[in-house]
C-alpha cells in the first residue's frame, strides 16, 4: 500500500515517522520542504501538490492546524479531491469541526473514494513511539481496511461511529485536558504560596483522586520551567472554541468552557499566539510574584514504553 501524509508538524511529523520506521511506502508533503527533507533522506517520496499525491498513493492522511487549512488542501484546484479516484481513502487526522469533516467527506465520496477521520490523543511523545490513541470515525467497512495501518500509528484504536463522531470526541477530550491544565495551574500556584514542597505536591496529586494524564505530563514540564508540551495557545483557543461552539449549537448551557476559553485568549494576548500552552500558569505566577518550579523534572516528555502493535478498543457494552 502506498501512503501519503500531508502536514509534518509537531504531531504529523511524528506519525509520519512511525509509518516510515515501519517500512511503509510513504510520500510526504508540507508547506516547508526543509521540514520534509529528513523524511526524504530516509526514503520517503516528495510531491509538489496535494493533487499529485492523491494520484500517486492509495491512502492519504491530512494532519493540519485548522479546518481552514484542511479545506484549502482538500478543495484547491490542485488539492487532494482533484486527484482522488475510486478505491482511494482519505483520512483526516486534524482536530476539526464535525460538520466540516462531514462536508469534506461528501466531496471525497463523490469521487468514488472513501473518507474517514482519525484524530489522535495522548501527546506528541506517544505519537513519536506509535503508542498514541486514535479515534476513527467512518464506515465500518473502511475502518476494517485501514485498521492494520492505524494499529501501526497507535496502540489503542477506537471506532467511534460515523463520520463526525471522532471529531466530536476529539474536541471534547481536548477541552477536558485544557480544563484540567487550568485547574492544575491554580493548584500548583496555591501549593507554592502555601509553602508546600512542590516535588511532594506533585507526588501527592499523582497518587490521589486528583491525578490525571495531564498532571502526569504537563505538570512535569511546568515544574521544570520549559513548559514544552509541543502545543501552543492558539491551538488551545481553536480546540476549546470548537467545543464551546458545538455545545452552544446544541443548546447546552455551558458554564466552564467559556471561562477556559477566556483564560487562554488572555494568555494568547499577553504572551503571543505561539506561546506554549502550559505557560498559562505565567498569569498566576506574575500575579503572585512567584515562580512555580521544582528540581528533577524533565524539560520534555519522552514515552518510555516500548513501541507495540496496537489493537482495536471495543467500547463497553458493544460488540465488534
Amino acid at each position: 500500500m502506498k501512503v501519503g501524509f500531508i502536514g509534518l508538524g509537531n504531531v504529523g511529523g511524528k506519525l509520519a515517522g512511525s509509518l516510515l520506521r515501519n517500512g511503509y511506502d510513504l510520500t510526504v508533503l508540507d508547506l516547508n520542504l526543509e521540514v520534509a527533507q529528513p523524511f526524504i533522506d530516509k526514503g520517503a517520496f516528495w510531491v509538489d501538490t496535494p493533487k499529485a499525491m492523491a494520484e500517486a498513493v492509495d491512502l492519504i492522511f491530512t494532519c493540519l492546524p485548522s479546518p481552514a487549512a484542511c479545506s484549502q488542501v482538500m478543495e484547491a484546484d490542485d488539492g487532494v479531491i482533484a486527484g482522488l479516484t475510486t478505491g482511494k481513502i482519505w483520512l483526516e487526522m486534524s482536530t476539526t469541526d464535525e460538520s466540516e469533516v462531514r462536508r469534506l467527506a461528501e466531496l471525497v465520496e463523490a469521487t468514488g473514494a472513501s473518507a474517514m477521520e482519525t484524530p489522535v490523543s495522548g501527546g506528541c511523545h506517544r505519537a513519536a513511539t506509535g503508542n498514541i490513541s486514535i479515534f476513527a470515525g467512518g464506515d465500518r467497512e473502511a475502518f476494517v481496511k485501514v485498521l492494520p495501518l492505524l494499529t501501526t500509528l497507535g496502540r489503542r484504536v477506537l471506532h467511534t461511529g460515523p463520520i463526525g463522531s471522532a471529531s466530536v470526541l476529539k474536541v471534547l477530550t481536548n477541552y477536558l485536558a485544557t480544563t484540567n491544565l487550568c485547574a492544575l495551574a491554580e493548584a500548583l500556584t496555591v501549593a507554592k504560596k502555601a509553602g508546600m514542597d512542590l516535588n511532594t505536591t506533585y507526588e501527592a496529586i499523582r497518587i490521589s483522586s486528583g491525578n490525571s494524564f495531564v498532571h502526569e505530563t504537563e505538570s512535569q514540564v511546568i515544574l521544570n520551567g520549559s513548559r514544552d508540551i509541543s502545543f501552543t495557545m492558539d491551538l488551545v483557543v481553536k480546540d476549546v472554541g470548537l467545543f464551546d461552539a458545538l455545545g452552544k449549537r446544541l443548546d447546552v448551557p455551558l458554564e466552564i468552557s467559556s471561562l477556559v476559553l477566556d483564560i487562554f485568549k488572555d494568555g494568547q494576548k499577553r504572551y503571543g499566539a505561539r506561546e506554549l500552552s502550559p505557560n498559562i500558569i505565567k498569569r498566576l505566577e506574575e500575579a503572585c510574584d512567584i515562580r512555580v518550579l521544582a528540581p528533577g523534572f524533565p524539560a520534555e516528555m519522552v514515552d518510555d514504553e516500548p513501541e507495540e502493535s496496537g489493537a482495536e478498543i471495543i467500547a463497553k457494552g458493544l460488540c465488534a
Side-chain angles (χ1 to χ4, degrees):
M1 176 182 288
K2 294 183 177 180
V3 181
F5 206 105
I6 302 177
L8 302 173
N10 284 333
V11 174
K14 292 175 175 62
L15 294 168
S18 285
L19 294 171
L20 199 56
R21 184 172 64 253
N22 283 282
Y24 281 90
D25 182 316
L26 183 67
T27 300
V28 296
L29 182 60
D30 192 90
L31 287 175
N32 187 347
L33 177 57
E34 290 184 5
V35 170
Q37 193 60 53
F39 297 89
I40 297 168
D41 293 342
K42 293 177 182 177
F45 300 99
W46 169 267
V47 289
D48 292 323
T49 68
K51 179 183 177 183
M53 177 177 284
E55 292 170 339
V57 304
D58 304 304
L59 181 150
I60 295 179
F61 288 100
T62 50
C63 191
L64 301 160
S66 69
C70 186
S71 176
Q72 175 64 27
V73 164
M74 296 297 292
E75 297 183 273
D77 290 342
D78 61 353
V80 168
I81 292 171
L84 291 175
T85 53
T86 299
K88 294 180 185 282
I89 305 174
W90 166 61
L91 296 100
E92 167 66 299
M93 303 200 85
S94 316
T95 302
T96 190
D97 176 75
E98 101 286 354
S99 60
E100 176 66 2
V101 78
R102 287 193 190 108
R103 184 185 71 82
L104 290 174
E106 288 180 3
L107 297 177
V108 166
E109 289 165 357
T111 71
S114 298
M116 291 202 67
E117 50 171 350
T118 52
V120 299
S121 184
C124 284
H125 61 300
R126 289 188 175 173
T129 59
N131 288 330
I132 203 160
S133 297
I134 301 176
F135 300 153
D139 180 79
R140 181 72 192 182
E141 184 178 349
F143 172 76
V144 170
K145 287 181 182 177
V146 301
L147 183 57
L149 186 63
L150 296 180
T151 54
T152 299
L153 290 172
R155 182 178 292 189
R156 302 168 186 87
V157 182
L158 178 67
H159 184 222
T160 58
I163 284 280
S165 60
S167 289
V168 170
L169 291 171
K170 173 60 174 173
V171 299
L172 185 154
T173 54
N174 275 23
Y175 160 69
L176 289 171
T178 302
T179 302
N180 195 195
L181 173 59
C182 290
L184 283 163
E186 291 189 350
L188 292 172
T189 302
V190 168
K192 175 70 174 181
K193 287 285 286 184
M196 299 299 299
D197 176 83
L198 292 182
N199 295 76
T200 303
T201 298
Y202 173 85
E203 291 300 333
I205 296 171
R206 189 183 67 81
I207 65 172
S208 75
S209 58
N211 193 34
S212 66
F213 176 82
V214 175
H215 176 61
E216 292 194 6
T217 54
E218 299 196 42
S219 288
Q220 295 204 58
V221 297
I222 285 173
L223 293 170
N224 170 273
S226 76
R227 287 41 195 300
D228 187 359
I229 206 68
S230 297
F231 206 72
T232 51
M233 292 191 182
D234 58 334
L235 295 177
V236 171
V237 168
K238 180 204 71 169
D239 291 355
V240 178
L242 287 170
F243 173 83
D244 192 63
L246 174 63
K248 289 174 179 175
R249 213 160 53 235
L250 297 171
D251 295 323
V252 179
L254 301 175
E255 296 176 312
I256 299 172
S257 66
S258 58
L259 177 59
V260 172
L261 191 55
D262 286 344
I263 288 170
F264 269 91
K265 284 181 177 178
D266 180 65
Q268 186 175 243
K269 181 178 178 181
R270 291 177 187 231
Y271 311 121
R274 302 301 293 168
E275 179 61 82
L276 294 163
S277 57
N279 247 337
I280 200 66
I281 199 172
K282 284 176 67 175
R283 296 168 68 254
L284 297 170
E285 289 178 319
E286 290 172 356
C288 298
D289 193 26
I290 58 172
R291 288 281 280 157
V292 179
L293 300 171
F297 291 96
E300 61 181 14
M301 296 309 301
V302 176
D303 186 12
D304 56 7
E305 295 184 35
E307 183 171 4
E308 294 184 4
S309 296
E312 180 181 2
I313 300 299
I314 306 299
K316 285 186 178 181
L318 298 181
C319 297

